[in-house]
Amino acid sequence: MGGNPALGVIFHWLGGFASASFYVPYKRINRWSWEIFWLAGGLFSWAVAPWLFASLQTRDLLGVLSATPRDTLFWCWFWGAMWGFGGLTFGLTMRYLGLSLGMAVALGLTTVIGTLGPPIFRGTMGEIASTISGQITLVGIVITLIGIVVVARAGKAKERDLAGAKSEGVAEFNLRKGILIAIFSGVMSGCFAWGLDAGQPIRDLTLAAGTDPLSQGLPVLCVVLAGGLTTNALWCSYLIAKNKSAGQFLGTPSDPERGGRAPLLTNYLLAALGGTLWYFQFFFYTMGESQMGRYGFSSWTLHMASIILFSTLWGFALREWKGASKSTRRTVWTGIGLLVGATIVIGAGNMLGVQAGH
């Protein structure tokens, strides 16, 4: 299996930056309840963007999906739906923990489940570990997990530094509630990698249709994200009915006592921007994965490392770390350094695998 792992790492970094940035526009939405802006943005993430870009970048999209075995379509959709349980609580993780700590905990679990699950299930882990290139790749995965732990420890140290005060930029900071939600979100979010792995027959068909190898994963996203849309739409619809918040789509403010209408045009534009940014993480992910050669499973680790790296930097930009001690800041920068180093190690392992023909 050929490829260009160095280019793949760059694509994964682009995807990580997009993922780490998607919630920033959401934070600027005014007078909309969570379920309203999550569903409005999610329609762009899970429906509009996947089909738009797959239609533009691949050949015979509908023909490929029509020719795909039904069991393949089902498992891609199923794992996407399971991921949806993690995705719909991911926003709550950001709400209670902030970008940096929230992503460290949730994505740490997602990294383990999403990276090691598919090769263990397929029985290829022993083969991977028997080669020098595979061993280097696995070392890079371990370094990533260490980096995630270091960043998470820095987040806990930050909370101690602030003596229980809510960090700036996280108005509803709640460590206990946030950690519990982050664990659930992280475990379920790892299912997305299983959905992508189940979509190999779709990639084979889209390549046979003449699509550029760089875009072979885009049709898979249409199916996996349809599962995510199912779960999220059902949950948001329940909340909308429970909270009687449907009127917010037309301008009714989430808090009528404050008066005034929600800025609809601005809110919809911010939701569209945030939702599209979220999709771009997997747009670039599929491109990166196509370049990683034999050890494409390591793409999930590269993706998670990049997200945590850029989300932590966003945390600094949003002043979440204001008031943290110098030692805490050194700890978080050590974690960032480990994550950067891990991407280099994993890229090197994949490069050796490509050169050796593994």
Side-chain angles (χ1 to χ4, degrees):
M1 298 178 65
N4 185 343
L7 179 61
V9 169
I10 293 174
F11 281 130
H12 283 305
W13 276 45
L14 290 173
F17 178 75
S19 178
S21 304
F22 89 92
Y23 205 73
V24 176
Y26 285 176
K27 290 170 71 72
R28 303 295 186 267
I29 292 176
N30 292 314
R31 300 183 181 181
W32 269 4
S33 300
W34 178 86
E35 64 270 17
I36 300 298
F37 76 72
W38 192 252
L39 182 57
L43 289 174
F44 285 90
S45 300
W46 314 313
V48 176
W51 285 92
L52 174 62
F53 286 97
S55 298
L56 294 174
Q57 296 288 107
T58 69
R59 295 186 178 182
D60 193 21
L61 174 62
L62 295 179
V64 165
L65 294 178
S66 297
T68 301
R70 290 186 178 182
D71 61 333
T72 296
L73 293 175
F74 170 77
W75 284 113
C76 288
W77 175 89
F78 174 81
W79 291 119
M82 293 301 99
W83 161 85
F85 287 109
L88 65 86
T89 54
F90 195 71
L92 293 177
T93 301
M94 303 299 98
R95 177 177 173 182
Y96 293 121
L97 294 182
L99 283 168
S100 51
L101 180 56
M103 286 197 175
V105 177
L107 297 185
L109 289 169
T110 302
T111 300
V112 174
I113 294 171
T115 301
L116 300 182
I120 291 175
F121 179 77
R122 293 181 177 275
T124 58
M125 184 58 71
E127 178 185 348
I128 293 169
S130 67
T131 65
I132 297 297
S133 56
Q135 292 166 6
I136 293 174
T137 300
L138 292 174
V139 167
I141 294 171
V142 172
I143 295 174
T144 299
L145 296 176
I146 294 173
I148 292 171
V149 171
V150 172
V151 172
R153 287 178 64 87
K156 293 180 181 179
K158 177 193 70 173
E159 201 261 339
R160 290 196 301 269
D161 292 341
L162 297 176
K166 298 184 188 302
S167 64
E168 186 170 341
V170 190
E172 300 180 71
F173 189 83
N174 185 315
L175 185 62
R176 183 176 181 276
K177 182 184 293 186
I179 289 293
L180 291 175
I181 295 173
I183 290 173
F184 177 82
S185 177
V187 170
M188 300 309 293
S189 293
C191 293
F192 201 100
W194 288 75
L196 295 176
D197 185 69
Q200 186 58 48
I202 302 177
R203 285 189 284 272
D204 294 338
L205 286 168
T206 198
L207 286 173
T211 294
D212 188 301
L214 205 60
S215 301
Q216 61 182 285
L218 298 184
V220 182
L221 291 180
C222 293
V223 185
V224 176
L225 291 175
L229 174 61
T230 303
T231 308
N232 281 270
L234 287 174
W235 178 246
C236 288
S237 296
Y238 164 75
L239 291 179
I240 289 170
K242 176 184 177 182
N243 299 329
K244 297 180 173 59
S245 54
Q248 294 177 33
F249 283 118
L250 300 177
T252 302
S254 57
D255 186 359
E257 294 182 0
R258 294 174 57 188
R261 293 174 61 83
L264 281 184
L265 179 59
T266 300
N267 282 2
Y268 278 116
L269 289 175
L270 288 170
L273 175 60
T276 304
L277 279 174
W278 186 95
Y279 166 75
F280 273 138
Q281 68 172 307
F282 289 114
F283 177 84
F284 288 115
Y285 176 95
T286 58
M287 292 183 175
E289 185 183 38
S290 72
Q291 299 299 307
M292 301 311 293
R294 174 67 177 83
Y295 307 130
F297 75 97
S298 64
S299 290
W300 193 252
T301 297
L302 285 171
H303 185 60
M304 296 299 107
S306 300
I307 293 174
I308 297 172
L309 168 63
F310 288 111
S311 65
T312 304
L313 295 178
W314 267 118
F316 276 99
L318 295 176
R319 306 180 72 185
E320 291 183 9
W321 294 87
K322 182 180 179 181
S325 66
K326 290 184 178 180
S327 62
T328 297
R329 290 171 179 263
R330 282 197 298 269
T331 300
V332 73
W333 284 111
T334 298
I336 290 174
L338 286 168
L339 293 174
V340 173
T343 63
I344 296 173
V345 173
I346 293 173
N350 279 265
M351 184 70 74
L352 286 175
V354 169
Q355 293 175 348
H358 293 149

